Amino acid sequence: MCAMNIGLIYTLEEVADNKALLPNALNIPFGISFIASALKVAGHTVKILVLAPDTNIFESVSRFINEFTPRMFCLTSVATQYPIISETAKTIKLIDNSIFNVVGGVHATLQPDLVIQNKFFDAMCIGEGEVAVVSLAAAVEKKIQPANIPNLWIRHSDAGTIEKNDIGPFINELDTLPYIERKLWDPWVASKPIKTQHILMGRGCPFKCTYCSNHSLADTQEGRYVRFRSPENIIDELQYILLHYPDVDSIYFEVETFGASTKYAMNFCEKLEEFNKSLPRPMQYGINMAVTRTIGRNVELIEAMKRANFSFVNIGLESGSERVR
């Protein structure tokens, strides 16, 4: 099995604690975490570097490279964080030009022609990257030029060209993804002991809100955009969390909207209710839901959520209509 040190960069727009940076475990980002887990399962040693707005990038990155000696960096960015990510990539190359930089995330996915112009990125991932990054790391570890990897645009510096590979379909079976490596983030979490965690329930959103990027992201890859993990797989991760974080007493389920599939939601509540009965101390849960006429009339689902010990629901009250607002 291959083995290489790989650094992963995550940047923050604001911080509450300059020592730990993340207020609590609910601030752990899923995107870069799944990339880290995929690389670790592939046999690599991975480590996170979190950068705040007032971080001295050169000092922080230099220390990280000197102590960890990574051969590859994975960077991720939304549009607002792109300037600091770009600066970080430049800094990495100034310190050691042989380190391979790959960037992904929403900004790279939606603005690939803009991002690929940045010469400090050796490759760019469009769309979901768990499969692509493992293939990329295998090539970098063998010190060969990466090529023919779906979802990647790869810079061929010697030829001065960009290899634009086809974009593969969305990952259909989310149960095949490894659980995120939460321990990587523990040094960055301020609130200790960790008493709450969050779990990704699914990917994609069925709604087409104009102010959201989901409708654009849905068009970047083929296949089904709205997907859910099986209740059994989620409950397995719940057990994994309790094994490694015995102080946890509440879980937030991260999903674009729980009500996208009523059948799934009812089944999940039943499985969660059964799981709670097996615990000496029942867990409390929270979730995100969109307000729709269907949900408003679905008393059966609300009652099922109560039996499953949901203690709160997050609702985004947003509208383009001044009258509604």
Side-chain angles (χ1 to χ4, degrees):
M1 182 177 282
C2 57
M4 178 173 62
N5 287 358
I6 301 176
L8 297 101
I9 303 285
Y10 182 67
T11 60
L12 299 168
E13 291 192 45
E14 57 184 8
V15 296
D17 188 320
N18 286 322
K19 293 182 179 179
L21 298 185
L22 301 181
N24 55 60
L26 296 182
N27 298 103
I28 294 172
F30 284 113
I32 197 89
S33 296
F34 275 107
I35 297 298
S37 296
L39 290 168
K40 185 174 181 182
V41 169
H44 302 288
T45 302
V46 297
K47 190 174 181 181
I48 302 285
L49 175 62
V50 180
L51 302 175
D54 60 350
T55 299
N56 185 310
I57 295 177
F58 188 85
E59 287 184 5
S60 185
V61 172
S62 295
R63 188 183 315 112
F64 186 89
I65 291 175
N66 289 334
E67 293 175 357
F68 186 54
T69 60
R71 298 314 310 149
M72 181 170 123
F73 270 102
C74 299
L75 305 96
T76 183
S77 176
V78 293
T80 55
Q81 291 296 285
Y82 183 67
I84 188 173
I85 282 295
S86 179
E87 181 64 25
T88 302
K90 178 181 178 181
T91 301
I92 292 168
K93 289 295 189 180
L94 287 174
I95 296 169
D96 186 346
N97 191 53
S98 70
I99 295 176
F100 195 98
N101 283 338
V102 56
V103 65
V106 175
H107 189 58
T109 296
L110 298 182
Q111 299 288 338
D113 292 309
L114 174 66
V115 174
I116 201 60
Q117 294 176 25
N118 190 324
K119 64 181 180 180
F120 301 111
F121 295 127
D122 300 293
M124 179 183 68
C125 181
I126 301 174
E128 295 175 327
E130 287 86 357
V131 176
V133 75
V134 172
S135 298
L136 175 65
V140 174
E141 194 271 336
K142 294 174 184 174
K143 298 182 179 180
I144 61 176
Q145 172 64 46
N148 303 316
I149 302 174
N151 290 45
L152 292 188
W153 286 11
I154 303 167
R155 189 180 305 280
H156 293 256
S157 298
D158 293 343
T161 59
I162 304 296
E163 175 190 319
K164 298 182 179 181
N165 292 291
D166 292 337
I167 309 303
F170 289 113
I171 298 171
N172 190 44
E173 295 295 334
L174 297 184
D175 285 6
T176 62
L177 296 174
Y179 304 148
I180 66 170
E181 286 292 331
R182 299 171 192 274
K183 291 296 181 181
L184 291 172
W185 295 96
D186 284 358
W188 303 101
V189 174
S191 180
K192 304 283 178 58
I194 294 174
K195 302 191 72 175
T196 185
Q197 290 277 11
H198 60 166
I199 293 178
L200 186 72
M201 178 178 281
R203 289 180 176 179
C205 181
F207 300 116
K208 305 291 183 183
C209 302
T210 56
Y211 54 78
C212 181
S213 63
N214 263 300
H215 62 288
S216 296
L217 292 171
D219 293 333
T220 58
Q221 296 177 252
E222 297 294 327
R224 187 157 46 93
Y225 181 54
V226 180
R227 296 145 291 157
F228 290 95
R229 295 169 60 190
S230 71
E232 293 79 10
N233 184 249
I234 294 172
I235 288 173
D236 280 346
E237 185 172 7
L238 263 171
Q239 294 172 324
Y240 176 85
I241 289 172
L242 289 176
L243 178 65
H244 292 87
Y245 297 91
D247 292 308
V248 167
D249 56 16
S250 69
I251 295 287
Y252 182 74
F253 293 112
E254 195 75 52
V255 67
E256 294 292 351
T257 178
F258 189 45
S261 170
T262 303
K263 181 180 179 182
Y264 173 88
M266 288 295 296
N267 183 36
F268 180 75
C269 286
E270 290 172 6
K271 294 292 196 306
L272 202 57
E273 183 182 359
E274 292 174 14
F275 172 73
N276 253 3
K277 289 178 181 178
S278 70
L279 300 176
R281 174 174 54 98
M283 299 275 286
Q284 290 192 329
Y285 307 102
I287 204 160
N288 180 63
M289 292 180 71
V291 178
T292 64
R293 291 182 177 87
T294 303
I295 290 295
R297 292 195 299 263
N298 199 334
V299 178
E300 185 180 1
L301 175 58
I302 302 302
E303 290 178 344
M305 291 174 67
K306 183 178 180 181
R307 291 194 299 271
N309 217 30
F310 279 91
S311 59
F312 71 93
V313 173
N314 279 348
I315 297 172
L317 299 177
E318 299 155 317
S319 174
S321 164
E322 254 188 69
R323 181 186 62 81
V324 171
R325 289 201 302 270

